[in-house]
Amino acid sequence: MSTKKFLLQEKDIPTAWYNIAADMKNKPLPILNPKTKEPLHAEDLYPLFAEELARQEMNQTDAWIEIPEEVRDMYKIWRPTPLVRAYGLEKALDTPAHIYFKNESVSPVGSHKLNSAIAQAYFCKKQGVTNITTETGAGQWGAALSFAAKAFGLELAVYMVKVSYHQKPYRRSIMQSYGAEVIASPSMSTRAGRDIITKHPNYQGSLGTAISEAVELAMQTPNCKYTLGSVLNHVMLHQTVIGLEAEKQMEMAGEYPDIVIGCFGGGSNFSGISFPFLRHKLNEGKDIRIIAAEPASCPKLTRGQFQYDFGDEAGYTPLIPMYTLGHNFAPANIHAGGLRYHGAGSIVSQLKKDNLMEAVDIKQLDTFNAALLFAKTEGIIPAPESSHAIAAAINEALVCKEEGTQKTILFNLSGHGLIDMAAYDQYLSGDLSNHELSDDEIGKNLNELEHLI
Amino acid sequence: MSTKKFLLQEKDIPTAWYNIAADMKNKPLPILNPKTKEPLHAEDLYPLFAEELARQEMNQTDAWIEIPEEVRDMYKIWRPTPLVRAYGLEKALDTPAHIYFKNESVSPVGSHKLNSAIAQAYFCKKQGVTNITTETGAGQWGAALSFAAKAFGLELAVYMVKVSYHQKPYRRSIMQSYGAEVIASPSMSTRAGRDIITKHPNYQGSLGTAISEAVELAMQTPNCKYTLGSVLNHVMLHQTVIGLEAEKQMEMAGEYPDIVIGCFGGGSNFSGISFPFLRHKLNEGKDIRIIAAEPASCPKLTRGQFQYDFGDEAGYTPLIPMYTLGHNFAPANIHAGGLRYHGAGSIVSQLKKDNLMEAVDIKQLDTFNAALLFAKTEGIIPAPESSHAIAAAINEALVCKEEGTQKTILFNLSGHGLIDMAAYDQYLSGDLSNHELSDDEIGKNLNELEHLI
């Protein structure tokens, strides 16, 4: 076994984020006020988000948005991240394909989420905001934002889905170690939480409820903004540092990817690795395949509909044009908690609609099988989320083997799995299974969307 | 807050390990056969260890030992590791000191242990060995060796102290994910284990018992060797890649450390960071302070005696010249499990005796206090073991502040604490305490040593 890393220096950290919306021929459809059905403008989002973030969200004209020096300084804690040629995996698969991965797991919190957490905390601080709120499911985003908030001197309240709060105490402790307040949701601290607890005293929470609580607290607290770790355009924007670095590193390797792969939940790491490569497809017609790898149990891109839908379960957000399974869709309780989201962001949805990218769905057992092969050959135990990208890359490498073609495959290792070992334990004990999803189950939630617009 | 990393390229990974024994004026005393009290030779260790490792163990003449290309190839998975200027920590302390840390936590298993695990697995494989055994307490060494064994195609059995096996399921799962067999010790698989289980059916195990089981299995299995993750000279040797890289990186930073600090258990990471710097003190009389930071509850270097003692609790190993608390010393159950060892290796013990290095002891609560300050300012949640080095570095930086002197302090961040969050949880809940250790408690175990030689 052998390996090869391609390492950049700090000066190679990108100085601007790439805003793909500016290069898209078919722009994403506008997000709408659910009552008036009128398009929203940046100003409409100011009450909820920092103003600069709201403007980034709506920007469809500037392809490059400068990264503030303070944000780049923080990126230097762990960026640039390595690009690795996965010789060990290639050898184990006996494939002629060249497999590369971008290793975002080296961040202090173990995932790519910090790329946007730092940017969001910075823009809030710059505007004079003192408090921020967010929600977190499995805890990757919450952990990243906890460190970012501390670094910029912001107070942070994280609503963590109650079942995770109790089942994933390590991620909760990480947030608390960075100094964040972590509240199990539903909680008595908000009206949304109190209402649900009163009706269902034993309710274990959902991301939808946690969003409602975080939004409510932000709206009712002076000098407080709400933040989100995926789905929104400004989050995708911040994550493009991943792909921009990878592009330089592929150049160092003397190769260019034929296929770029990211796992897909709300789209943050997928967009981060793929948009910078996709821009050459948009602008110069470059022949490159972009693949989103989603869980078979939450297949919005492969089996969902392109339709206006709410971003949250409760229906408090604006209407977003998305590939969706319906905002009431309840995905099975798979271990890749970060991919259990019903819809795709508006940019990715438009790109998929225009056939500028593809999507594949991967079954849970196949992701763990791929993860263990990766751990044994490349040394890193991947996050269950990232294992979807690994499985998709392995599938493509095996096609190369069958066809005898030498393709270059790049995937994003969005995070490590060291805090997800309970999931590996279950897999190794044979206690894990796949979740078959019938067309009826999907159709049921989609039918309910028709009245929305 | 700001940060600055000093990054090397793969070509900068050292090509030779530094063997400090060759440069020591007073060589470490020989290890002895406990029956004959005669010095042992490399050949005497061949039944237990790979021959090349046994020769490295006894080598007091060659200052540089070439790192095989296959080992350097594996090092490339995560080496060279970053050197970081801890601006955030400096600012929080308001100290004129410059603080640097070498970040060994970026290895796939989260600690420096992989530096020696890979070397040991390689030399076993090269000799045609097919199976290896080891013991592990908290699991850092076991995790590292599990990956190394898989990488070189060796079968590995790890005896894991029973209480850790049940209390730290994540580390057990990591070893199993890499394909190792993990056995809770005491077990029925060895005579040593069976004897203890028969006498004490509920015994939760100790490192001493686990060593006995691993040694016994190695001796009784064809083509099988035993491996160890600390204390021995060849382990220190392999770890010197840490300090050799750090030396080049300090040069990039345009500084040279006045003080080098490592936490101290058996000596593996401490020796790794410090020996390459110490060589300039030995050879050129360079003015540099080397500090081992040990737990106040296991203070062999600060309160132990220099004396021949066994390396294990049961007394199966050769007699080793060491600073020791007595091989029957039972350290309190602190969270820095990797530092709960009764003695120091023979080289470190001689260096300490000759006043070429210092030692300080740190109380458990002070280590967690230091760890949280570090996490909030530098982003990385440190392992409880590494937090001893952080606390010692902070103490030195505060002395600089008091005296108004600008010193350059380098410490080794031997690992991250993402799998130790239960310990942080306890600290944050106020459930942790210090362990006061009376002179009587220490004296009791030391008195029993006098008959040994």
Side-chain angles (χ1 to χ4, degrees):
Chain A
M1 201 180 93
S2 180
T3 189
K4 174 84 188 154
K5 292 196 307 299
F6 298 91
L7 301 172
L8 299 170
Q9 294 291 322
E10 287 185 354
K11 64 175 172 50
D12 300 313
I13 295 174
T15 54
W17 292 301
Y18 172 58
N19 178 23
I20 198 171
D23 285 339
M24 289 167 70
K25 216 162 113 184
N26 296 333
K27 302 292 181 199
L29 299 177
I31 59 173
L32 305 179
N33 179 318
K35 284 182 194 151
T36 65
K37 311 285 196 276
E38 290 297 318
L40 290 171
H41 303 284
E43 305 82 67
D44 299 319
L45 300 177
Y46 287 176
L48 201 54
F49 298 112
E51 296 183 7
E52 184 59 34
L53 296 171
R55 286 191 291 271
Q56 289 173 1
E57 184 66 24
M58 298 300 192
N59 189 327
Q60 299 190 340
T61 49
D62 304 313
W64 298 97
I65 293 177
E66 196 188 331
I67 305 178
E69 207 45 48
E70 293 86 342
V71 172
R72 287 188 81 234
D73 257 4
M74 290 286 296
Y75 281 171
K76 287 178 191 166
I77 290 179
W78 79 103
R79 307 207 69 85
T81 64
L83 179 82
V84 183
R85 170 83 183 266
Y87 281 112
L89 182 59
E90 288 175 18
K91 195 175 156 196
L93 296 172
D94 189 24
T95 174
H98 293 189
I99 307 177
Y100 292 83
F101 64 91
K102 179 72 167 162
N103 186 1
E104 289 291 303
S105 79
V106 299
S107 97
V109 296
S111 85
H112 71 291
K113 290 289 188 191
L114 207 47
N115 295 324
S116 186
I118 282 171
Q120 293 190 45
Y122 167 77
F123 287 116
C124 286
K125 180 69 180 184
K126 196 184 162 201
Q127 190 183 318
V129 166
T130 55
N131 295 55
I132 57 177
T133 71
T134 200
E135 73 289 326
T136 198
Q140 289 272 30
W141 166 249
L145 192 66
S146 296
F147 170 55
K150 175 54 64 178
F152 287 107
L154 298 167
E155 295 302 317
L156 167 64
V158 182
Y159 286 92
M160 184 174 191
V161 176
K162 194 172 273 180
V163 60
S164 294
Y165 184 91
H166 292 297
Q167 279 181 358
K168 305 201 178 221
Y170 277 25
R171 285 250 168 72
R172 167 176 57 71
S173 307
I174 291 173
M175 293 185 262
Q176 289 168 332
S177 295
Y178 286 129
E181 181 184 349
V182 186
I183 308 123
S185 167
S187 77
M188 295 295 282
S189 66
T190 65
R191 179 167 169 173
R194 285 192 298 274
D195 283 356
I196 287 180
I197 289 178
T198 309
K199 277 188 221 152
H200 311 285
N202 292 319
Y203 185 55
Q204 289 302 298
S206 73
L207 212 46
T209 305
I211 293 179
S212 305
E213 292 206 271
V215 167
E216 185 183 322
L217 186 68
M219 298 298 280
Q220 296 190 345
T221 305
N223 223 359
C224 184
K225 297 293 169 193
Y226 167 72
T227 64
L228 190 74
S230 191
V231 183
L232 298 176
N233 300 341
H234 66 271
V235 182
M236 316 289 152
L237 175 76
H238 304 151
Q239 293 293 353
T240 56
V241 290
I242 302 172
L244 292 168
E245 284 182 8
E247 224 187 346
K248 284 189 202 177
Q249 289 163 310
M250 291 299 306
E251 207 173 297
M252 287 167 74
E255 301 211 57
Y256 201 86
D258 299 298
I259 304 171
V260 177
I261 301 172
C263 66
F264 198 90
S268 73
N269 100 86
F270 166 78
S271 305
I273 187 78
S274 68
F275 284 2
F277 291 96
L278 200 45
R279 84 177 192 276
H280 300 294
K281 188 167 185 167
L282 297 178
N283 295 338
E284 302 132 42
K286 185 114 189 160
D287 184 23
I288 184 170
R289 288 175 60 204
I290 308 288
I291 304 178
E294 60 182 11
S297 57
C298 194
K300 54 244 170 195
L301 290 171
T302 49
R303 298 172 70 188
Q305 271 180 31
F306 183 80
Q307 192 145 5
Y308 270 100
D309 195 2
F310 288 111
D312 67 325
E313 199 185 331
Y316 293 166
T317 71
L319 288 170
I320 305 172
M322 43 164 62
Y323 273 91
T324 179
L325 296 164
H327 60 278
N328 287 318
F329 178 79
N333 193 19
I334 57 167
H335 282 288
L339 307 185
R340 295 175 67 244
Y341 185 73
H342 68 279
S346 62
I347 291 179
V348 166
S349 293
Q350 189 65 43
L351 292 169
K352 174 71 172 58
K353 187 157 179 285
D354 292 340
N355 288 318
L356 289 161
M357 54 168 282
E358 311 163 39
V360 294
D361 62 339
I362 313 270
K363 291 180 177 165
Q364 176 157 267
L365 293 181
D366 293 337
T367 66
F368 278 92
N369 190 33
L372 286 180
L373 179 63
F374 183 74
K376 288 173 183 171
T377 53
E378 297 295 328
I380 304 164
I381 297 182
E385 289 84 0
S386 317
S387 303
H388 288 71
I390 298 173
I394 289 175
N395 288 345
E396 292 297 332
L398 291 177
V399 169
C400 287
K401 182 181 178 178
E402 212 179 287
E403 296 178 348
T405 53
Q406 186 269 296
K407 287 196 176 141
T408 299
I409 301 167
L410 166 67
F411 71 86
N412 191 32
L413 184 73
S414 55
H416 66 62
L418 294 180
I419 314 177
D420 302 282
M421 292 314 300
Y424 281 88
D425 230 19
Q426 258 194 291
Y427 177 74
L428 291 168
S429 331
D431 289 344
L432 272 195
S433 56
N434 288 325
H435 298 267
E436 302 299 335
L437 193 60
S438 71
D439 288 339
D440 281 358
E441 272 178 275
I442 293 179
K444 191 182 61 183
N445 289 288
L446 289 176
N447 291 338
E448 292 174 12
L449 296 184
E450 311 223 331
H451 71 282
L452 287 179
I453 190 153
Chain B
M1 199 179 91
S2 180
T3 189
K4 174 83 187 154
K5 291 196 307 296
F6 298 91
L7 301 172
L8 299 170
Q9 294 290 320
E10 287 184 357
K11 65 175 170 50
D12 301 313
I13 295 173
T15 54
W17 292 301
Y18 172 58
N19 178 22
I20 197 170
D23 285 339
M24 289 166 70
K25 215 162 113 184
N26 296 334
K27 303 292 181 200
L29 299 177
I31 59 174
L32 306 180
N33 179 318
K35 285 181 196 154
T36 64
K37 311 285 196 277
E38 289 298 317
L40 290 171
H41 302 285
E43 306 80 68
D44 299 318
L45 300 178
Y46 287 177
L48 201 54
F49 298 112
E51 297 183 7
E52 184 60 32
L53 296 170
R55 285 191 292 271
Q56 290 173 3
E57 184 65 24
M58 297 301 192
N59 189 327
Q60 299 190 341
T61 49
D62 304 313
W64 298 96
I65 293 177
E66 196 188 330
I67 305 177
E69 207 45 48
E70 293 87 341
V71 172
R72 288 188 81 233
D73 256 4
M74 290 287 296
Y75 281 171
K76 286 179 191 167
I77 291 180
W78 79 103
R79 305 207 70 85
T81 64
L83 178 83
V84 183
R85 170 84 183 267
Y87 281 113
L89 182 59
E90 289 174 19
K91 195 175 158 196
L93 297 172
D94 189 23
T95 175
H98 294 189
I99 307 176
Y100 292 82
F101 64 92
K102 179 72 168 163
N103 186 1
E104 289 291 302
S105 79
V106 300
S107 96
V109 295
S111 85
H112 71 292
K113 290 288 188 190
L114 208 47
N115 296 325
S116 186
I118 283 172
Q120 293 190 45
Y122 167 76
F123 287 115
C124 286
K125 180 69 180 183
K126 198 184 162 202
Q127 190 182 318
V129 166
T130 54
N131 294 57
I132 57 177
T133 72
T134 200
E135 74 289 326
T136 199
Q140 289 273 30
W141 166 248
L145 192 66
S146 296
F147 171 54
K150 174 54 65 180
F152 287 107
L154 297 168
E155 294 303 317
L156 167 65
V158 183
Y159 286 92
M160 185 175 190
V161 176
K162 195 172 270 179
V163 61
S164 295
Y165 184 92
H166 292 298
Q167 278 182 358
K168 304 200 178 223
Y170 278 25
R171 285 251 167 72
R172 167 175 57 70
S173 306
I174 291 172
M175 292 185 262
Q176 290 169 331
S177 295
Y178 286 130
E181 182 183 349
V182 187
I183 308 123
S185 168
S187 77
M188 296 294 283
S189 67
T190 66
R191 181 168 166 172
R194 284 192 299 272
D195 283 356
I196 288 180
I197 289 178
T198 309
K199 276 188 223 151
H200 310 285
N202 292 321
Y203 185 56
Q204 290 301 297
S206 73
L207 212 46
T209 305
I211 293 179
S212 306
E213 292 206 90
V215 167
E216 183 183 324
L217 186 68
M219 297 298 281
Q220 296 190 344
T221 306
N223 223 357
C224 184
K225 298 292 169 193
Y226 167 72
T227 65
L228 191 73
S230 191
V231 183
L232 298 175
N233 300 342
H234 66 271
V235 182
M236 316 290 153
L237 175 77
H238 304 150
Q239 293 294 352
T240 57
V241 290
I242 303 172
L244 292 169
E245 284 181 9
E247 224 188 346
K248 285 191 201 177
Q249 289 163 310
M250 290 300 307
E251 206 172 297
M252 286 168 75
E255 300 211 57
Y256 201 85
D258 299 298
I259 303 171
V260 177
I261 300 171
C263 66
F264 197 90
S268 73
N269 100 86
F270 166 78
S271 305
I273 188 79
S274 69
F275 285 2
F277 291 96
L278 200 44
R279 84 178 192 275
H280 300 294
K281 187 167 186 169
L282 296 179
N283 295 338
E284 302 132 42
K286 183 115 190 160
D287 184 23
I288 183 171
R289 289 174 59 205
I290 308 287
I291 304 178
E294 60 182 11
S297 56
C298 194
K300 53 243 169 196
L301 289 171
T302 49
R303 297 172 70 189
Q305 270 181 30
F306 184 78
Q307 192 145 5
Y308 270 101
D309 194 4
F310 288 111
D312 67 325
E313 199 186 330
Y316 293 165
T317 70
L319 288 170
I320 305 172
M322 44 163 63
Y323 274 92
T324 180
L325 296 163
H327 60 280
N328 287 319
F329 179 79
N333 193 18
I334 57 168
H335 281 289
L339 307 185
R340 295 175 67 244
Y341 185 72
H342 68 278
S346 62
I347 291 179
V348 166
S349 293
Q350 189 64 44
L351 292 168
K352 173 71 172 57
K353 187 157 179 285
D354 292 340
N355 288 317
L356 290 161
M357 54 168 282
E358 310 163 41
V360 294
D361 62 338
I362 314 271
K363 292 181 175 165
Q364 175 156 268
L365 293 180
D366 293 338
T367 66
F368 278 92
N369 192 31
L372 286 181
L373 179 62
F374 183 75
K376 288 173 183 171
T377 52
E378 296 296 327
I380 304 164
I381 296 181
E385 289 84 1
S386 317
S387 303
H388 288 71
I390 298 173
I394 289 175
N395 288 346
E396 292 297 332
L398 291 177
V399 170
C400 287
K401 181 181 178 179
E402 212 178 287
E403 296 178 348
T405 52
Q406 186 268 296
K407 287 197 176 139
T408 300
I409 301 167
L410 166 66
F411 71 87
N412 191 33
L413 183 74
S414 55
H416 66 62
L418 294 180
I419 314 177
D420 302 282
M421 292 315 300
Y424 281 89
D425 230 20
Q426 257 193 293
Y427 176 74
L428 290 168
S429 330
D431 289 344
L432 273 194
S433 57
N434 289 326
H435 298 268
E436 303 299 336
L437 192 60
S438 72
D439 288 339
D440 281 358
E441 270 178 278
I442 293 179
K444 190 183 60 182
N445 288 289
L446 289 176
N447 292 339
E448 292 175 14
L449 295 185
E450 312 222 330
H451 70 281
L452 287 179
I453 191 154

